[in-house]
Amino acid sequence: MYKSFSMELAGRTLTVEVGRVAAQANGAAFMHYGDTVVLSTATASDKPREGIDFFPLSVEYEEKLYAVGKIPGGFIKREGKASENAVLTSRVIDRPMRPLFPKDYRNDVTLNNLVLCVDQDCSPELTAMLGSAIATAISDIPFDGPTASTMVGMVDGELVFNPTSEQRDKSTLSLTVASTKDKVIMIEAGAEEISEAKMIEAIFAAHELNKQVIEFIDKIVAECGKPKHDYTKCETPEDMYNDMVAFITPEAMEEAVFTDVKQVREENIKAIKEKLAAHYEETNPDWLALIDEAVYKFQKKTVRKMILKDQKRPDGRKMDQIRHLAAEVDVLPRTHGSAMFTRGQTQVLNITTLGALAEIQKLDGLDENETSKRYMHHYNFPSYSVGETKPSRGPGRREIGHGALAERALVPVIPSEEDFPYAIRTVSEVLESNGSTSQGSICASTLSLMAAGVPIKAMVAGISVGLVTGDSDDDYVILTDIQGLEDFFGDMDFKVAGTHKGITAIQMDIKIHGLTREIIEKAIYRTQEARFYILDEIMAPCISEPRPEVGPYSPKIEQIKIDPAKIGDVVGQRGKTINAIIEQTGVKIDISDEGAVSVCGVDADSIKKAIKMINTIVMDFEEGQIFEGKVISIKEFGAFIEFAPGKEGMVHISKISKERIEHVEDVLTLGDIVKVVCLGKDKMGRISFSIKDVK
């Protein structure tokens, strides 16, 4: 049965149509926000997938260029693999919803979002987040939702909700908050050094708006929702678990996990599994296949009990203590910039590369405001960093997400194109991992940029805090600088990056059904304390400010401004003039529509030579100016001198020598380099030169 529901959301109409399309999906919502249209569907398999110990959720966000009236480029003329924005949007839809499915649900679930039409003032990403929540809530798939999401910007110091295209362009905050009806469940933010207090205010202003949206969704579910289906529960048999605990003993498990060396802990757990396998081979062979899941459950209970009840972390640290830190720069001798940041058993090497502005990344997506990217951050997580063997198949969704988080954290401090006319790429190579490599990447990137001579506005550091909760909202412990085990068995990974002045990025992942305001506030201020320590005690002693100039192996770039009306003179017919300058000097030249000319090269003299040529081409010629040029043509009446690529003037035979000459060839030959003085323009409008009058 077709039904339509509408509400006003941040000044625009949100309409949800149910029963109109995609009737064979478990749940489908045809979403309209302004003129943005997204089809969100939720489907689940009939049976659980065998042989897995996790919930197999897939989230897809499909960008179609017809949604903004574009035809895809290239020969194939159809959309290819998901863009970086599509991957990041899929992740931001996944994160608030995953904790609300049953933990032992093993049926495959796919949430698909097809972007059909885009109104630039109504975010298709937000529309898809709401659509996925609604499609799942009205479906028969077990789900403890719904959730709602709100985007928050800040323009002229004032918060704006679900900002328009113009507001997004001016905003100093890009915050997305997802909530259940009671608690905040996901935070994603990029900001221009916003204070902790202002960020908290923005988060909970969004939460209040989310509550209104959830009331709207609840009405849709009440009218259109299907009964949730039963499913096969995948739990460790209670009698096996009790037998295992009695056989191994809690004391032995605690001793196995209580170490600050990841490899030792893994060996200890491996020994326990081998002991159990030998035991059950004789006593209960049916339990052999369940050992991994049972030991995981035993470890999790042990670690959580140690932290929550005994106030003891697996590596012996205090709750607010950071692991051993180290930082160094100039690790690689010939790259433009390099740095290594180590936190416990997490180690990241970052490399900075500088290039001409022509090397910025062009973006062909749905957002008209995002057409290029001058600062690029890439993140690689090879299998050897965790002691595993796996072939490299390029960056996955996790790598793209971590790279984008680090990029978002650093963008606010990157100098403007006018102050530093370079394209900038940083690459984080994770050499060792035991928790929070993304935040280590932020620290390493900051050091690497400063070592490369990039005049960043301030140093940025990142840190992650974790959480272990008990049976009530008041029963919890916050952990500073979580390692892998605490992330794995804990309830939260709350990453915050920023400067001394304020926050530049947040990413919050949780495994429970939301966080109270008290927990969020304490977590944010805990990260502030840790961030200041890293900035002042670890990073500043390593390198306290950007180097005054780029290194010897970096390209040098100088920028000049010309009259935009004379850009054509510099480029020349079919690029002939600019290509001649490049060929003669070996530089790279970029010209903006506003007349900003960037000249890039490794050799400073070549750059100066190219700039001199450009200035000569665009200057207004006046009598008395002296130039140096090459004889390119000889006629009976005189010679033509090229004094800059594409620019030439004539020396009449009478102006070649102070003595009378019969033939030009008596004094000049093709290819001669001569000095000339400008006499103005002749009757034909050509520039007239004299050799004999040069002083």
Side-chain angles (χ1 to χ4, degrees), residues 667-689:
V667 179
L668 299 177
T669 58
L670 290 175
D672 282 352
I673 304 298
V674 296
K675 281 191 175 181
V676 295
V677 61
C678 182
L679 302 178
K681 293 186 178 180
D682 61 19
K683 296 177 181 178
M684 299 176 65
R686 298 175 304 192
I687 299 169
S688 181
F689 286 141

Side-chain angles (χ1 to χ4, degrees), residues 111-408:
L111 307 180
N112 189 279
N113 297 274
L114 179 61
V115 181
L116 296 164
C117 186
V118 174
D119 173 350
Q120 294 294 331
D121 288 336
C122 299
S123 163
E125 293 88 352
L126 174 75
T127 309
M129 291 185 75
L130 295 172
S132 284
I134 294 170
T136 309
I138 64 176
S139 76
D140 60 343
I141 302 169
F143 180 65
D144 195 13
T147 64
S149 302
T150 294
M151 291 180 171
V152 186
M154 190 161 71
V155 179
D156 298 328
E158 297 296 322
L159 298 178
V160 292
F161 300 99
N162 299 342
T164 64
S165 177
E166 183 180 355
Q167 289 171 331
R168 289 197 302 272
D169 198 38
K170 297 177 180 178
S171 180
T172 56
L173 171 66
S174 177
L175 169 68
T176 302
V177 178
S179 310
T180 63
K181 63 181 179 181
D182 299 316
K183 298 176 182 178
V184 173
I185 197 167
M186 193 279 298
I187 302 169
E188 180 97 12
E192 295 184 13
E193 299 178 279
I194 286 177
S195 70
E196 280 72 10
K198 194 68 178 179
M199 183 65 79
I200 291 167
E201 177 192 342
I203 290 168
F204 285 94
H207 178 51
E208 290 304 312
L209 185 54
N210 283 339
K211 290 180 183 179
Q212 298 175 31
V213 178
I214 287 173
E215 288 182 11
F216 170 66
I217 297 174
D218 283 340
K219 293 176 183 176
I220 300 173
V221 174
E223 288 196 40
C224 303
K226 302 175 184 177
K228 299 302 182 184
H229 65 233
D230 294 328
Y231 66 95
T232 304
K233 298 182 182 295
C234 299
E235 297 177 335
T236 302
E238 188 175 352
D239 53 347
M240 180 205 171
Y241 183 79
N242 293 335
D243 181 84
M244 174 189 64
V245 172
F247 179 67
I248 299 298
T249 75
E251 294 76 17
M253 179 58 80
E254 187 170 322
E255 184 179 345
V257 299
F258 195 87
T259 173
D260 61 351
V261 181
K262 179 181 174 183
Q263 293 91 327
V264 172
R265 184 184 304 113
E266 289 173 349
E267 285 298 318
N268 293 342
I269 297 301
K270 181 181 177 183
I272 286 175
K273 289 181 179 179
E274 289 173 350
K275 184 177 179 181
L276 279 170
H279 175 60
Y280 290 140
E281 201 163 22
E282 295 180 2
T283 61
N284 201 327
D286 292 343
W287 288 351
L288 288 172
L290 305 175
I291 287 175
D292 284 348
E293 194 164 337
V295 170
Y296 169 86
K297 183 177 178 180
F298 194 6
Q299 281 188 85
K300 183 174 182 177
K301 285 193 172 185
T302 302
V303 170
R304 293 176 67 85
K305 178 257 179 186
M306 286 166 58
I307 293 171
L308 191 62
K309 305 302 181 187
D310 303 338
Q311 297 287 297
K312 187 166 70 171
R313 297 177 74 170
D315 57 5
R317 281 183 291 147
K318 297 176 183 177
M319 299 300 154
D320 60 353
Q321 185 178 350
I322 304 173
R323 289 169 288 175
H324 174 72
L325 301 171
E328 58 181 304
V329 295
D330 303 329
V331 180
L332 305 175
R334 283 179 173 259
T335 57
H336 301 165
S338 63
M340 190 152 65
F341 186 83
T342 306
R343 185 194 295 118
Q345 288 184 292
T346 292
Q347 187 176 63
V348 181
L349 173 65
N350 185 273
I351 300 94
T352 295
T353 306
L354 306 177
L357 290 173
E359 296 180 89
I360 64 174
Q361 184 179 4
K362 301 291 193 297
L363 303 176
D364 188 20
L366 304 185
D367 190 339
E368 291 179 351
N369 289 337
E370 298 288 334
T371 58
S372 64
K373 187 189 290 187
R374 177 171 153 257
Y375 172 65
M376 300 155 277
H377 187 288
H378 297 143
Y379 166 102
N380 297 314
F381 190 90
S383 58
Y384 62 74
S385 66
V386 288
E388 296 177 356
T389 174
K390 185 174 65 174
S392 176
R393 295 285 185 263
R397 290 190 171 194
R398 180 181 180 276
E399 284 86 351
I400 291 172
H402 279 18
L405 174 60
E407 183 176 290
R408 194 182 310 123

Side-chain angles (χ1 to χ4, degrees), residues 463-627:
I463 193 70
S464 179
V465 298
L467 176 75
V468 176
T469 56
D471 297 329
S472 68
D473 287 345
D474 298 327
D475 187 16
Y476 65 88
V477 172
I478 293 175
L479 308 170
T480 300
D481 179 27
I482 55 172
Q483 59 171 307
L485 189 75
E486 293 165 334
D487 183 10
F488 204 48
F489 295 134
D491 297 321
M492 176 179 78
D493 183 5
F494 201 140
K495 309 179 184 83
V496 182
T499 64
H500 278 105
K501 185 178 177 182
I503 293 169
T504 59
I506 293 179
Q507 187 176 93
M508 185 188 84
D509 297 320
I510 63 173
K511 302 171 187 173
I512 54 178
H513 288 202
L515 301 179
T516 63
R517 182 171 185 136
E518 179 182 278
I519 292 174
I520 290 174
E521 288 186 355
K522 286 185 176 180
I524 286 177
Y525 283 109
R526 180 77 69 86
T527 63
Q528 183 191 52
E529 296 171 11
R531 184 171 81 242
F532 287 178
Y533 173 79
I534 295 169
L535 288 169
D536 296 336
E537 303 299 325
I538 307 302
M539 295 173 66
C542 177
I543 180 169
S544 58
E545 59 185 22
R547 286 180 173 148
E549 57 185 30
V550 298
Y553 299 104
S554 302
K556 314 300 184 290
I557 296 180
E558 291 192 28
Q559 197 170 60
I560 61 171
K561 192 82 173 174
I562 65 172
D563 183 348
K566 295 190 176 182
I567 292 174
D569 294 341
V570 177
V571 175
Q573 191 174 14
R574 294 191 295 275
K576 183 178 178 181
T577 303
I578 196 169
N579 287 333
I581 299 172
I582 292 169
E583 184 178 342
Q584 291 178 35
T585 61
V587 302
K588 294 180 180 178
I589 301 173
D590 298 307
I591 307 177
S592 74
D593 292 340
E594 293 75 33
V597 181
S598 295
V599 182
C600 174
V602 176
D603 180 58
D605 290 338
S606 297
I607 294 173
K608 289 178 182 176
K609 184 179 177 182
I611 289 176
K612 184 179 179 182
M613 290 178 177
I614 295 168
N615 283 330
T616 301
I617 291 169
V618 301
M619 72 168 43
D620 295 320
F621 297 101
E622 298 177 359
E623 187 175 342
Q625 293 171 328
I626 294 176
F627 302 98

Side-chain angles (χ1 to χ4, degrees), residues 47-89:
K47 297 178 181 178
R49 194 197 301 181
E50 294 185 5
I52 60 170
D53 58 358
F54 61 91
F55 168 44
L57 173 65
S58 298
V59 179
E60 305 295 336
Y61 177 81
E62 297 185 49
E63 295 176 319
K64 300 296 185 180
L65 288 181
Y66 55 65
V68 289
K70 291 182 182 178
I71 295 175
F75 291 104
I76 301 174
K77 296 296 179 186
R78 68 180 298 159
E79 290 82 3
K81 70 175 185 177
S83 69
E84 186 172 292
N85 180 68
V87 170
L88 298 175
T89 304

